[in-house]
Amino acid sequence: MACCGSHRWALRLAAHRPYPDIESLLAAASEASYDLRPADLAEALADESWMPQPLLGMRAPGSQAAHTALRAAHAAYEARFGHVFVVCLDGIAPEEMLDAVLVSIRTRLANDPDEERLTASDELRRIALTRLEHLVATHAAASPSR
């Protein structure tokens, strides 16, 4: 659940344990993400809105005007689509995050609701895989060697 807020997604991954390796786990997680029903996606997006973090991109360096524009873009997105904006920023340098989020949110505001649901679902899948990789790596680093 720390990787994706859909109970169905988490139960599906847990039901197929143990996984022989990280690649198998990530493949199963990706497949489970593709199988999310609209209600599962809504649950996962709602869970993202409860995350104890500032608006996506707000911690990135940038001018006050850029941060104001970002707050306005987040508000416009939520008003249009009824859920928080999600985008995977894996591989984006911190100094580029603010611009990357602004470009992405402004581009996606032009999507129709069905197209945006697919895009948000894919971004959630990418985020979940990144979180899962991090969770496994952190657990492996904390486990004593045998």
Side-chain angles (χ1 to χ4, degrees):
M1 292 296 297
C3 299
C4 177
S6 164
H7 283 86
R8 184 170 183 249
W9 182 90
L11 289 171
R12 184 166 171 186
L13 282 185
H16 292 88
R17 291 180 303 186
Y19 294 93
D21 51 42
I22 184 70
E23 291 79 17
S24 299
L25 173 61
L26 293 174
S30 190
E31 184 179 323
S33 295
Y34 286 124
D35 289 342
L36 291 180
R37 298 175 298 206
D40 303 319
L41 178 59
E43 178 184 37
L45 287 167
D47 186 66
E48 290 295 317
S49 71
W50 290 101
M51 293 276 190
Q53 61 188 19
L55 292 175
L56 192 58
M58 291 305 290
R59 286 188 256 184
S63 70
Q64 183 63 34
H67 283 92
T68 300
L70 185 60
R71 275 191 290 280
H74 274 284
Y77 181 93
E78 288 185 33
R80 175 153 167 68
F81 297 112
H83 58 79
V84 297
F85 175 75
V86 292
V87 65
C88 183
L89 295 172
D90 192 32
I92 304 292
E95 64 275 6
E96 297 172 9
M97 283 186 183
L98 184 67
D99 287 337
V101 173
L102 271 170
V103 167
S104 183
I105 200 168
R106 286 177 175 160
T107 300
R108 288 170 51 189
L109 274 166
N111 289 348
D112 66 55
D114 290 335
E115 183 180 16
E116 183 53 28
R117 194 171 8 271
L118 290 173
T119 302
S121 180
D122 190 54
E123 292 296 327
L124 273 177
R125 180 188 64 78
R126 293 176 58 214
I127 291 166
L129 294 178
T130 299
R131 289 175 180 165
L132 194 53
E133 283 182 293
H134 179 73
L135 187 65
V136 169
T138 302
H139 180 73
S143 296
S145 299
R146 293 182 186 201

